[in-house]
Amino acid sequence: EDMDKKSQRLLSLLRGEIPRAIDLLRDRIALALGENPTQATTSLSEIKARLMKRHGASLAITTGPEAETAQVAMAPARFFSLINNLIDNAVKYTPPGGQVTISLSDARINSARSSVEVIVADTGIGVSPAEKDKVFHRFFRGSNAIRLEPDGTGLGLYITRDIIEKH
């Protein structure tokens, strides 16, 4: 049977959002269980390779020379999920022909403690100045985002902030 265009669009959206929702739920459960943030380490070069495999040519990823040896005291899957939440948001709200750029670097300065700087920049729709303070609130979605893509949970950036604060 033929589906109408609205049903096809919804089905396509669900196919894309279900894996992301599962990842977000796993992260939320892990945080609620109080997982030890130093149970594993991952390198920035490993994360870069995984991001390129997942997103391919749609991303420009730069790393400093220190990325080959920089280690993050966080389970690889958790760190990848954190960065991927940021990237998924950027890709989702950047129009075709736009640009998403990621920079990963070791941000340690005279410290043995692991510290990484992740910068995700895009040419997307942006967030209004009045809403910038709310982007990391649970269930918040910017008015620009709702206009462009009405469906969404508003949990991605909230969970990302939560992961960062607990590590």
Side-chain angles (χ1 to χ4, degrees):
E1 294 178 44
D2 290 332
M3 285 194 284
D4 63 16
K5 288 197 184 281
K6 185 176 180 180
S7 296
Q8 288 176 346
R9 188 178 75 76
L10 181 59
L11 183 58
S12 176
L13 174 69
L14 288 173
R15 283 186 182 136
E17 288 296 319
I18 288 173
R20 184 167 185 242
I22 290 169
D23 287 344
L24 292 174
L25 183 58
R26 280 189 191 127
D27 285 344
R28 193 70 198 144
I29 290 168
L31 287 170
L33 294 174
E35 283 186 358
N36 182 353
T38 59
Q39 61 187 228
T41 62
T42 188
S43 70
L44 291 183
S45 58
E46 176 186 340
I47 294 300
K48 179 180 178 179
R50 287 184 68 188
L51 291 170
M52 291 305 288
K53 183 177 179 182
R54 177 169 175 161
H55 296 282
S58 66
L59 297 179
I61 302 177
T62 61
T63 54
E66 73 281 0
E68 294 304 316
T69 58
Q71 295 287 313
V72 180
M74 183 183 293
R78 169 70 46 78
F79 189 61
F80 180 76
S81 177
L82 182 151
I83 293 175
N84 209 53
N85 281 345
L86 296 172
I87 294 169
D88 280 349
N89 243 28
V91 170
K92 186 176 186 176
Y93 298 113
T94 297
Q99 214 170 15
V100 176
T101 306
I102 297 94
S103 174
L104 305 171
S105 61
D106 186 346
R108 283 183 295 205
I109 299 176
N110 300 322
S111 171
R113 185 171 179 208
S114 179
S115 181
V116 172
E117 181 177 70
V118 177
I119 299 172
V120 178
D122 63 66
T123 58
I125 61 173
V127 178
S128 75
E131 295 177 321
K132 283 190 189 249
D133 291 342
K134 300 174 188 172
V135 296
F136 292 102
H137 292 189
R138 184 175 17 188
F139 303 119
F140 176 78
R141 295 190 68 230
S143 55
N144 288 347
I146 292 170
R147 274 194 297 280
L148 182 67
E149 187 64 53
D151 302 313
T153 63
L155 288 173
L157 293 178
Y158 168 76
I159 290 173
T160 298
R161 183 198 66 191
D162 207 26
I163 292 169
I164 291 168
E165 286 177 350
K166 290 189 180 263
H167 288 80

